Amino acid sequence: MAKRGRGRGAGTAGPGVVEVPKGSRPAGPVAGVYYIDTGDCELIPDQDNSTGWLLRINGVMSSHIDLADPLFLDFEYMRWIAALVESRWPRDSRPKLRALHLGGGACSLARYFHAAYPDARQVVVELDGKLADYVRGWFDLPKAPLLRLRVGEAREVTESLTPQTRDLIIRDVFAGSLTPRPLTTREFTEHAKRVLAPAGVYVVNSGDAPDLKNAREDAATIADAFAHTMLIADPAMLKGRRYGNMIMAGSDRPFDDDPGLARRLLGGGVPAHIWNDEKVRAFAAGAAVRHDPADSAPAVAPARTPAESPAGTPADPPTAL
């Protein structure tokens, strides 16, 4: 689902299956296919960047890492998330950002935020334990407590967290082209809101087809839970002309009308527009607010991110977050 940025090639497939001895961890990236708990992944050198690597998970391009530059984000939707976060929390103020990533692939965004906010404390939740361990071995990720990889199901982990302990939650988890329903309901969104500080921000990567049904329901559900919303997407996506990604955010504190953010989004390889709360609610009008099943606890569906999602065996022990 994710679109790559300008000036980067698609990469070429590396050699065949890479055998990693049981109980060991790769010492740096090696091109090839790796078996993981949920299937397989492929590590691919970036043709146009000698320090760049692409990660494909179960046939879907998931992540890009530039080992030499953690502030380079190849996927446009990640650039949009970074721009939104930096508009809310300017980097020069050095905030001690507390971030929770639900999904993270190669941890591209977590690595970016560590470089942008050196005092940040981040947790990345990943379903696939083996992938998480590989990611720790392949890429130079910050150590705990600056960045923890926690192996687990995203909803279960979110429900277990202490209230008001995060400033930012990013939901970027997919099974195929859509986010598993248990992570999209009003009840789950309320759990995320409970974990956020009063001025915290909940950000979702909403993938959809041209009919935009899924995106409208995502918007309706977030708007039902939060006092203020915003949406970022490119014009073709907003007009329902293609499959793609929309970035939506909810907060109980208003989003600033930041002209610098608008300029930054227009200046990317895929220029994007911002919709304010009024436009988001108009977009969502008439769409269903999703709810958990009334007769049972929500099913926990294995989830994976189409354009990013971290990984692995408890690379860091699942300690309290």
Side-chain angles (χ1 to χ4, degrees):
M1 294 290 293
K3 292 175 66 92
R4 297 192 65 205
R6 58 191 174 210
R8 300 296 196 204
T12 55
V17 174
V18 178
E19 298 290 346
V20 180
K22 188 174 181 179
S24 67
R25 176 184 289 175
V30 175
V33 175
Y34 296 75
Y35 294 127
I36 55 177
D37 293 337
T38 58
D40 63 67
C41 66
E42 185 178 5
L43 199 57
I44 306 168
D46 186 336
Q47 287 183 338
D48 296 330
N49 179 0
S50 63
T51 58
W53 290 88
L54 289 153
L55 179 63
R56 185 178 3 239
I57 300 174
N58 293 324
V60 178
M61 198 62 75
S62 167
S63 310
H64 180 279
I65 285 280
D66 185 335
L67 291 175
D69 184 5
L71 291 175
F72 176 78
L73 294 173
D74 197 48
F75 291 122
E76 289 291 349
Y77 86 89
M78 292 187 193
R79 297 183 190 184
W80 300 343
I81 293 174
L84 168 60
V85 171
E86 290 175 22
S87 174
R88 184 73 158 210
W89 293 282
R91 288 165 58 177
D92 57 12
S93 66
R94 289 186 66 95
K96 295 182 178 180
L97 192 66
R98 302 167 298 171
L100 175 67
H101 301 258
L102 304 177
C107 295
S108 304
L109 270 176
R111 191 166 170 265
Y112 178 96
F113 288 134
H114 172 71
Y117 304 102
D119 299 320
R121 294 291 186 272
Q122 302 183 80
V123 173
V124 177
V125 179
E126 169 56 36
L127 183 70
D128 192 304
K130 189 172 287 187
L131 178 58
D133 206 44
Y134 283 161
V135 167
R136 271 290 191 207
W138 289 331
F139 307 123
D140 184 23
L141 300 180
K143 305 300 183 185
L146 293 176
L147 175 59
R148 290 194 177 99
L149 299 186
R150 176 165 174 174
V151 176
E153 193 278 325
R155 177 155 180 164
E156 289 182 347
V157 172
T158 304
E159 291 179 355
S160 74
L161 299 181
T162 304
Q164 299 188 15
T165 55
R166 299 295 183 275
D167 304 301
L168 172 67
I169 296 176
I170 298 173
R171 188 202 81 190
D172 189 15
V173 183
F174 286 78
S177 62
L178 297 175
T179 300
R181 187 179 177 90
L183 298 177
T184 68
T185 64
R186 178 64 167 79
E187 290 76 14
F188 172 75
T189 307
E190 192 60 40
H191 284 300
K193 181 177 177 177
R194 175 188 59 82
V195 172
L196 286 170
V201 177
Y202 178 56
V203 180
V204 308
N205 178 18
S206 179
D208 207 358
D211 65 10
L212 300 181
K213 179 179 183 295
N214 181 68
R216 292 180 194 279
E217 291 185 358
D218 259 343
T221 304
I222 293 169
D224 194 58
F226 290 95
H228 305 279
T229 63
M230 70 177 302
L231 185 154
I232 300 171
D234 67 88
M237 189 68 194
L238 292 170
K239 294 176 182 177
R241 292 179 179 171
R242 66 171 182 84
Y243 290 82
N245 304 77
M246 291 186 175
I247 298 306
M248 302 180 190
S251 179
D252 283 340
R253 196 190 91 181
F255 292 98
D256 295 333
D257 184 10
D258 181 1
L261 173 60
R263 287 194 299 270
R264 181 173 173 181
L265 294 173
L266 286 172
V270 179
H273 292 172
I274 303 172
W275 280 359
N276 61 18
D277 185 72
E278 181 180 2
K279 287 186 176 180
V280 173
R281 291 179 189 275
F283 173 70
V289 173
R290 298 194 193 97
H291 286 281
D292 290 344
D295 56 348
S296 64
V300 174
R304 160 109 290 108
T305 244
E308 265 286 288
S309 147
T313 47
D316 294 316
T319 54
L321 301 184

